[in-house]
């Protein structure tokens, strides 16, 4: 009489059957989910998580280490530090979510990661104003236009710009709570904007926590290439969250969070101190740089 364990082949089959049955039982347990989208997410997540465990033959010790790792990620997370977002960033999940959400539309400017350093109440800057507010770095003249995908200007578009100082710190990482190297302005009637900022420099993502340890264990660098953050919003247009990166700068091929897109690599042109500034500003003998970033907004999805 044949039993469950007639041959090694039968045992493999039995094992596979038990593993599949467990996955199916969990899938069935979500059957009462009334929100269709939630049901889709729970089912797909279950399939992928179970497939992962089965494929790598995850051991119980490894599972425990994974849980301890997630606990450590939670332990360092507070209202100033979001280690879970960093974890998502270094797995490229944040960037994949951005990519899925921002369908390609004509020449619309590509989006990239938001990052953890945006704040809502940035100062308003007049055209030609300076967002640095005392943050250290080389002055950089930033100018461009905001248009739609057929080239019509988008007057009044709100343009938020934020960046790190040349020590690699955002103001929210300072101890004294001051706002610096961030601001917003509105495109003029021709869709143009211009302001002074700082020439961006590369900096590391926070890497003194469990995500940093993960990067270290895998021989990966925590560095991000030099970039300026932009968020551009206008009525009837798809909101754009993006950066521009410095062409020829370090780390554009190895961004720790996979945010670089070729279309966002931009010329920051070095200017000697002898060259007059576009607005006649006196830079007291300092060199400066300039960059042009023409922003194209897609229409809001109907
Ligand atoms: C940033 O560019 O500000 C950033 C993005 C992802 C993780 C950490 C920092
Ligand atoms: Fe940044």
């Amino acid at each position: 009489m044949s039993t469950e364990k007639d041959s090694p082949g039968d045992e493999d089959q039995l094992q596979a059957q038990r593993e599949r049955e467990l996955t199916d039982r969990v899938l069935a347990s979500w059957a009462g989910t009334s929100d269709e989208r939630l049901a889709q997410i729970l089912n797909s997540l279950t399939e992928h998580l179970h497939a992962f465990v089965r494929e790598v033959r995850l051991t119980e010790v490894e599972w425990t280490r994974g849980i301890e790792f997630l606990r450590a990620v939670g332990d360092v997370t507070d209202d100033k530090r979001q280690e879970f977002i960093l974890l998502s960033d270094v797995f490229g999940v944040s960037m994949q979510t951005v990519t899925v959400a921002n369908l390609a539309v004509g020449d619309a400017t590509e989006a990239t990661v938001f990052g953890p350093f945006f704040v809502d109440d940035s100062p308003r800057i007049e055209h030609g104003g300076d967002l640095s507010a005392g943050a250290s770095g080389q002055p950089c003249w930033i100018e461009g236009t905001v248009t739609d995908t057929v080239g019509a200007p988008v007057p009044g578009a709100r343009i938020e710009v934020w960046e790190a100082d040349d020590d690699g710190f955002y103001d929210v990482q300072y101890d004294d709570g001051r706002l610096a190297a961030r601001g917003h302005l509105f495109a003029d009637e021709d869709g143009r904007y211009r302001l002074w900022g700082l020439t961006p420099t590369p900096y590391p993502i926070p890497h003194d926590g469990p995500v940093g340890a993960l990067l270290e264990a895998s021989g990966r660098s925590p560095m991000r290439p030099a970039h300026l953050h932009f968020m551009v919003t206008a009525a009837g247009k798809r909101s754009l969250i993006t950066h521009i990166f410095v062409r020829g700068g370090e780390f554009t091929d190895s961004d720790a969070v996979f945010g670089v897109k070729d279309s966002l690599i931009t010329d920051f042109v070095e200017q000697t101190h002898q060259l007059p500034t576009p607005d006649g500003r006196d830079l007291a003998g300092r060199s400066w740089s300039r960059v042009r970033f023409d922003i194209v907004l897609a229409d809001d999805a109907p």
Side-chain angles (χ1 to χ4, degrees):
M1 199 177 85
S2 107
T3 66
E4 271 191 342
K5 292 188 214 159
D6 270 353
S7 70
D10 286 347
E11 283 177 355
D12 287 352
Q13 214 183 356
L14 176 65
Q15 179 64 26
Q17 188 187 329
R18 287 178 179 171
E19 291 171 10
R20 184 66 238 175
E21 272 171 10
L22 175 61
T23 304
D24 289 341
R25 280 215 308 282
V26 180
L27 289 172
S29 77
W30 303 126
T33 312
S34 52
D35 181 324
E36 266 182 45
R37 177 67 177 155
L38 179 60
Q40 182 189 16
I41 289 170
L42 292 173
N43 282 308
S44 179
L45 188 60
T46 300
E47 277 292 6
H48 286 275
L49 285 176
H50 281 236
F52 159 72
V53 172
R54 294 193 309 255
E55 182 185 316
V56 304
R57 311 312 299 167
L58 194 73
T59 68
E60 288 165 289
V61 170
E62 288 162 345
W63 179 86
T64 304
R65 280 192 69 183
I67 296 290
E68 279 164 1
F69 177 80
L70 290 177
R71 181 191 164 147
V73 170
D75 282 347
V76 296
T77 296
D78 58 22
D79 51 359
K80 287 222 162 117
R81 168 123 182 206
Q82 234 302 3
E83 194 80 357
F84 281 106
I85 295 184
L86 274 190
L87 182 58
S88 157
D89 292 341
V90 302
F91 269 89
V93 174
S94 310
M95 195 56 206
Q96 190 65 280
T97 308
V98 167
T99 306
V100 167
N102 290 272
L103 296 179
V105 179
D107 289 337
T109 304
E110 288 191 87
T112 188
V113 281
F114 195 30
F117 298 124
F118 175 76
V119 300
D120 271 326
D121 46 359
S122 74
R124 165 119 188 226
I125 293 172
E126 295 309 318
H127 285 276
D130 183 3
L131 60 67
S132 63
S136 61
Q138 183 193 48
C140 176
W141 176 255
I142 307 160
E143 65 186 336
T145 54
V146 184
T147 58
D148 65 15
T149 50
V150 292
V154 184
R158 181 181 170 118
I159 306 159
E160 291 271 358
V161 184
W162 67 105
E163 61 174 316
D165 65 20
D166 66 355
D167 291 319
F169 294 112
Y170 287 81
D171 54 1
V172 291
Q173 297 171 296
Y174 299 163
D175 291 332
D176 56 10
R178 79 197 137 98
L179 290 175
R182 69 178 68 244
H184 68 272
L185 71 173
F186 296 89
D188 69 15
E189 60 282 2
D190 301 316
R192 295 179 193 286
Y193 71 96
R194 56 210 163 268
L195 73 157
W196 284 98
L198 301 169
T199 311
T201 53
Y203 67 84
I205 63 169
H207 58 109
D208 56 347
V211 171
L214 178 65
L215 292 179
E216 171 99 37
S218 50
R220 274 176 57 182
S221 161
M223 294 302 289
R224 295 215 63 206
H227 59 273
L228 277 180
H229 291 259
F230 282 79
M231 177 161 76
V232 188
T233 49
K237 301 288 170 235
R238 185 169 78 186
S239 296
L240 172 69
I241 292 172
T242 196
H243 314 344
I244 47 175
F245 297 91
V246 178
R247 190 182 312 284
E250 261 189 294
F251 309 113
T252 44
D253 290 336
S254 60
D255 183 1
V257 303
F258 306 97
V260 179
K261 299 195 170 179
D262 285 349
S263 68
L264 300 176
I265 298 179
T266 312
D267 293 309
F268 283 72
V269 185
E270 280 294 320
Q271 311 286 308
T272 66
H273 70 276
Q274 287 108 332
L275 282 168
T277 54
D279 59 349
R281 180 180 174 191
D282 180 0
L283 290 172
R286 301 165 70 197
S287 67
W288 52 291
S289 70
R290 65 186 305 162
V291 64
R292 178 168 191 97
F293 180 37
D294 292 329
I295 297 160
V296 179
L297 298 180
D299 286 342
D300 234 349

